[in-house]
Amino acid sequence: MPQVDTARFLQDLHDLRRIGAFKTGVHRPTYSPDDMESRRWLMQRMEEVGLEASIDGIGNVFGRNKGPGPHLLVGSHIESQNEAGWLDGALGVVAGLALARAGLPVDVCAFADEEGHFEGGFLGSRSIIGELSEEEIDRSRSRNDGTPLRDALRAAGLAGLPRMQIDPARYKGFFEMHIEQGTQLEGAGLQVGVVTGIVAIWQWRLSVTGQQDHAGGTTMAERRDAGLAAVRLLAAIDREFPRVCGERSTWTTGRILLEPGAPSIIPGKAEVLFQFRDVSMEKLQEMEAALRMLVRESNRRERSHTELVGISKATPALCDPAMMRALGGAAEALAPGAWQEMPSGAGHDAQYLAKRMPAAMLFTPSIGGISHHWAEDTKEEDLALCVRVLAEGAERYLAGSN
Amino acid sequence: MPQVDTARFLQDLHDLRRIGAFKTGVHRPTYSPDDMESRRWLMQRMEEVGLEASIDGIGNVFGRNKGPGPHLLVGSHIESQNEAGWLDGALGVVAGLALARAGLPVDVCAFADEEGHFEGGFLGSRSIIGELSEEEIDRSRSRNDGTPLRDALRAAGLAGLPRMQIDPARYKGFFEMHIEQGTQLEGAGLQVGVVTGIVAIWQWRLSVTGQQDHAGGTTMAERRDAGLAAVRLLAAIDREFPRVCGERSTWTTGRILLEPGAPSIIPGKAEVLFQFRDVSMEKLQEMEAALRMLVRESNRRERSHTELVGISKATPALCDPAMMRALGGAAEALAPGAWQEMPSGAGHDAQYLAKRMPAAMLFTPSIGGISHHWAEDTKEEDLALCVRVLAEGAERYLAGSN
């Protein structure tokens, strides 16, 4: 069982928390001065634990183990959402430092812009697996203020630096520790989550076209109310999806816009942003089939026409069973009965690393499920427990004993 | 049967159309230079037909018949919506000129800002019946650009002018001719509509409060999706209202806003603007009762809470039966079988005049039902027929023969 210096681990987290501090959280948007300071801080910590530290042309911070393999890759992201939490991303990076300090043969990485401040998203992890083109970097702009990514990279001193790509052959697997960002663990009174897979998000736009008209002068019989057609379709989805969904599927309408949106005008157009998520490709396909059926039926019955547009379809990323067994065994040893297997409803760098090597994630509880908010927090005893589970799980996996 | 110079009537309409011309319509927002020019044009036409013309402190243009009574009041509004039609409002004012020219004992009035460019709405007709306070004028601002009404009145040269109030005892009734702004007449192949009443609009805000959360990390079982609660409630209204509504009731959701409105975030709040309309107080009350019941039921079942807020409740304005019989008799004489009785789904100055004297409205067809748009139009033969029906109906009503 590896000896993890949990006090030092927690101290590292609190030291990092001071960079870009905002209330009890942090404000470290990607490539901002505070974010770049946090990357320099990380490189110094990497050197201190004996890793060879570098930063690449997209901002990935990499600490390379100098010893012999087999190696593991451990990491997450170090930038934050705007005015958000101190643990989201930082936890997994600092856990990597703790494992290195405990003598495990790990490379540690902070993947740039997992939080998607710039268009494209997951720039760092996609770049490191070779799935980010120069053209995409040329096109990308900040979602906050439209700044071109190239300008931000230049201002951050990263222009001209080469972008690194990992060699999957170097690693037996990738581990990422992260806060749950939900209330499953807390609600069940558990302390550790062994992640089964990272859901894929399939995003859709429903564009409804009716006829804009006067709310008083147009009878109910003749009007072609795009907003009402949208409401009926969403109500039908609400009734139908439980029949086809998986046990842990989620589906969400985040936005409804009626045009013109005036109280006395029948909407001539409506736009809906709808998405669903699951770890199972089969379930995703069944939900898509149900959605298409409901749109088809709506178009058969309504006087408004709905167009279904697919915006994006990610692939579920299943975690490696052997890595999961190693983590589960470690959890049972260190927190017997206080852990469970569970999917991740949110996207993570791990879903991209999983394309190149076996990958696994470990969740800590989130107090109140709060995330993407400065009040985000986790009990220190849970943080300490989980980093020990991570280290023990990593060691078991390397040893091949599950 | 009064002799109406329909050629002159049509010419007047086309002359007025040139002021503030925009494509085939007009852009004459209240108190704008073009609107003030149209009011000066109107005063000149009034003098030409033998009326004593004046303009008051809110912009009402009034032409007073110099002969003995009993008199009728005839009018509508002369400003337009932004970049809108040439007939909406103008028709009823120019029809008044035509009736005066034909020798009928009519006062003619253009009531200011029926179109509601300034907060409050129906400023002119409310002022002339004594229902517009100085304080309300002080508070009112332009809905287009926030200009205080006082500033607009000053810039239009109206500051300091007294505001007139009509003496109801002077009139046997008020007639307003207006385009239908719907497709009832055109759809039924008819040319004249005798209005039974002006619907009241009852406006509501539904404010739904749930819990904002991560779309992926929050299970379907635990989430409190305010947008979904709103959708289900609107779907329930859609199913329930046909059971309680009147034959010609309308109900409309013009706006739905989800907060924060992002694709991957469960909405924590939703706001809906909903309204219903009818000429019957009993029906309005039944629809309110149904709405309250559905909100109560929603709050009983949902994990989000809906607050129902009444924004405004107008009173239906029924048209005078004797005036309607006079118009109906005239319509049957001049356009046999080509007319019908029908409610007005839109608000008009007549609904305020109806508080002080018997009132009636006559509708001309609207081509394609288009209104509040520069393409708004009506066939000249229908315009000419309707002004003759109006004049004949007015004469019959004055004579007391129906």
Side-chain angles (χ1 to χ4, degrees), chain B residues 157-311:
Chain B
L158 300 173
L161 290 179
R163 290 191 282 127
M164 66 172 295
Q165 279 194 39
I166 46 158
D167 171 17
R170 176 174 165 83
Y171 306 101
K172 195 176 179 188
F174 169 71
F175 281 98
E176 179 170 5
M177 189 162 102
H178 204 286
I179 50 169
E180 180 201 335
Q181 297 176 296
T183 58
Q184 302 300 296
L185 292 172
E186 181 183 70
L190 304 174
Q191 294 176 287
V192 187
V194 174
V195 180
T196 53
I198 296 158
V199 296
I201 307 170
W202 286 16
Q203 310 218 50
W204 307 89
R205 180 185 305 114
L206 301 164
S207 290
V208 190
T209 303
Q211 175 68 52
Q212 178 173 320
D213 228 323
H214 196 289
T218 319
T219 60
M220 301 309 286
E222 66 177 322
R223 61 180 56 189
R224 295 173 53 216
D225 184 330
L228 183 59
V231 162
R232 288 174 176 164
L233 177 54
L234 291 174
I237 290 169
D238 179 43
R239 285 191 301 271
E240 184 65 24
F241 263 49
R243 295 207 182 100
V244 301
C245 72
E247 203 183 299
R248 289 182 178 275
S249 304
T250 65
W251 57 98
T252 310
T253 296
R255 186 157 87 201
I256 301 173
L257 272 172
L258 305 188
E259 193 188 291
S264 288
I265 302 182
I266 298 165
K269 287 200 200 313
E271 188 185 276
V272 174
L273 295 182
F274 175 74
Q275 58 168 250
F276 50 75
R277 305 183 184 210
D278 204 291
V279 280
S280 153
M281 270 304 272
E282 192 187 335
K283 281 299 165 196
L284 290 163
Q285 287 160 347
E286 282 177 47
M287 288 191 284
E288 174 174 354
L291 179 61
R292 290 194 181 281
M293 178 275 288
L294 292 168
V295 170
R296 204 161 49 235
E297 179 64 10
S298 175
N299 285 334
R300 195 173 71 80
R301 295 167 70 115
E302 295 286 345
R303 292 193 294 277
S304 297
H305 180 83
T306 298
E307 186 191 7
L308 175 63
V309 178
I311 297 176

Side-chain angles (χ1 to χ4, degrees), chain B residues 127-148:
Chain B
S127 177
I128 217 171
I129 66 168
E131 284 191 7
L132 180 66
S133 66
E134 289 294 308
E135 289 70 37
E136 188 177 347
I137 297 176
D138 290 340
R139 282 194 322 260
S140 172
R141 292 170 162 272
S142 162
R143 292 188 216 266
N144 297 314
D145 61 15
T147 303

Side-chain angles (χ1 to χ4, degrees), chain B residues 3 26 70 159 180 205 243 300 311 349 356 378 382:
Chain B
Q3 291 306 305
V26 298
E180 180 201 335
R205 180 185 305 114
R243 295 207 182 100
R300 195 173 71 80
I311 297 176
D349 292 306
R356 296 288 182 265
T378 300
D382 291 339

